[in-house]
């Protein structure tokens, strides 16, 4: 019961802009440190320890950037969709802030996935781009991110902007399962999933799996650190006329 009470209190504190800002002072350095450790370990293991692929040679090593970036493009969008529901139902200001702060990061991950995928596809498919189901749906996701960013910037009232972008975000959720299952539903140039948690399928050598997992977690902690950094700046901007922000500014001189 004490744990549940603590979690409930923590939840309500995190819903408060003032408490949220205070917690970010601890979370951001923590997440950044973990991200750096995991990324250095993942890149070293992926570039120097993992063996060459028996078909692709060393060209497959771009996978350690491409695959985690593709995973994050979907993960960040689902975070935004969750925040959209929370902001529409409970009208929490921090949910709106987390959602809007995530859009640019998600767009960056999606762009990275598209670029690295094209670089990887050139030696494998003989072309930089193909209107493959997976590639096309991922490109649509990138345009969704850009649309959400543009819509949020076009509306001056942040609460109204949050309502509009929440609707667009939830409409775009239909694209997420299309991206995930595109290689199954359609005849695709893109290879099938090498890791399927639901089916317990891992069609990859353990020496390649380890750096892939390390990079996947590194990207998640990178996202956590950056979204908190962006969110705390937005909190200060929205709360600039509040007493606690004025006190904070006076304390820092």
């Amino acid at each position: 019961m004490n744990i549940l009470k603590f979690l409930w209190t923590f939840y309500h504190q995190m819903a408060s802009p003032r408490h949220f800002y205070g917690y970010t002072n601890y979370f951001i350095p923590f997440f950044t440190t973990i991200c750096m450790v995991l990324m250095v370990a993942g890149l070293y293991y992926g570039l120097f320890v993992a063996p060459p692929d028996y078909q692709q040679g060393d060209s497959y090593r771009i996978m350690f950037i491409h695959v985690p970036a593709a995973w994050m493009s979907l993960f960040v969008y689902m975070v935004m969709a969750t925040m959209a529901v929370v902001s529409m139902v409970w009208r929490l200001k921090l949910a709106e802030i987390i959602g809007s702060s995530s859009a640019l990061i998600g767009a960056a991950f999606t762009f990275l996935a598209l670029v690295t995928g094209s670089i990887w596809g050139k030696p494998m498919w003989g072309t930089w781009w193909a209107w493959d189901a997976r590639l096309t749906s991922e490109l649509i996701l990138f345009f969704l991110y850009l649309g959400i960013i543009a819509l949020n910037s076009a509306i001056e009232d942040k609460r109204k902007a949050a309502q509009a972008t929440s609707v667009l975000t939830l409409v775009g959720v239909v694209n997420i399962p299309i991206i995930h299952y595109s290689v199954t539903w359609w005849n695709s140039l893109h290879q099938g999933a090498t890791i399927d948690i639901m089916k317990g399928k891992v069609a990859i050598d353990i020496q390649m799996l380890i750096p892939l997992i390390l990079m996947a977690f590194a990207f998640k902690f990178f996202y956590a650190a950056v979204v908190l950094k962006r969110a705390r700046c937005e909190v200060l901007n929205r709360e600039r006329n509040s007493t606690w922000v004025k006190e904070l500014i006076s304390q820092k001189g």
Side-chain angles (χ1 to χ4, degrees):
M1 294 298 295
N2 289 332
I3 295 176
L4 291 176
K5 184 178 180 181
F6 169 77
L7 292 175
W8 185 252
T9 303
F10 179 76
Y11 167 78
H12 281 281
Q13 287 180 341
M14 287 296 287
S16 164
R18 180 173 187 173
H19 284 95
F20 171 81
Y21 183 88
Y23 281 122
T24 58
N25 291 325
Y26 304 100
F27 286 141
I28 292 175
F30 177 69
F31 291 153
T32 302
T33 302
I34 296 178
C35 168
M36 292 177 64
V37 171
L38 290 174
M39 191 165 292
V40 169
L43 289 174
Y44 174 79
Y45 208 107
L47 296 177
F48 301 107
V49 178
D53 184 77
Y54 77 102
Q55 285 183 322
Q56 302 181 40
D58 288 322
S59 63
Y60 87 96
R61 297 184 193 278
I62 199 171
M63 170 184 75
F64 300 121
I65 299 295
H66 171 70
V67 174
W71 286 345
M72 288 303 299
S73 69
L74 305 182
F75 176 80
V76 174
Y77 198 91
M78 291 310 299
V79 171
M80 290 171 56
T82 303
M83 294 300 103
V85 172
V86 172
S87 65
M88 292 176 71
V89 175
W90 290 286
R91 306 288 295 165
L92 288 182
K93 185 182 295 184
L94 275 175
E96 300 172 1
I97 292 173
I98 294 295
S100 61
S101 299
S102 297
L104 184 60
I105 309 170
F109 278 125
T110 309
F111 181 75
L112 181 61
L114 289 169
V115 170
T116 53
S118 295
I119 295 172
W120 193 6
K122 178 60 176 176
M124 296 300 104
W125 302 338
T127 181
W128 295 102
W129 181 264
W131 292 103
D132 174 85
R134 172 64 63 84
L135 275 67
T136 304
S137 53
E138 186 75 7
L139 181 62
I140 292 173
L141 179 63
F142 180 62
F143 288 143
L144 277 170
Y145 275 121
L146 295 184
I148 291 168
I149 294 169
L151 183 60
N152 186 63
S153 301
I155 303 175
E156 187 174 351
D157 188 320
K158 293 301 182 182
R159 302 311 297 266
K160 292 182 179 179
Q163 294 176 19
T165 54
S166 293
V167 173
L168 178 57
T169 301
L170 293 177
V171 170
V173 167
V174 69
N175 191 46
I176 301 302
I178 293 175
I179 295 173
H180 183 73
Y181 292 108
S182 57
V183 293
T184 304
W185 292 345
W186 294 284
N187 185 22
S188 175
L189 281 173
H190 197 284
Q191 70 184 58
T194 55
I195 301 175
D196 192 332
I197 297 175
M198 299 299 293
K199 296 181 179 179
K201 171 188 172 185
V202 181
I204 185 174
D205 186 88
I206 187 63
Q207 289 185 298
M208 299 175 182
L209 178 62
I210 290 173
L212 183 61
I213 297 300
L214 288 173
M215 290 300 295
F217 278 103
F219 276 31
K220 279 185 170 57
F221 280 104
F222 173 83
Y223 163 68
V226 175
V227 76
L228 289 181
K229 190 78 172 178
R230 288 175 55 82
R232 67 185 262 133
C233 292
E234 182 64 22
V235 164
L236 287 178
N237 182 48
R238 292 198 187 192
E239 299 287 308
R240 59 185 179 274
N241 294 322
S242 63
T243 304
W244 72 269
V245 173
K246 293 178 180 178
E247 292 176 352
L248 182 65
I249 294 173
S250 63
Q251 290 173 4
K252 294 187 175 182

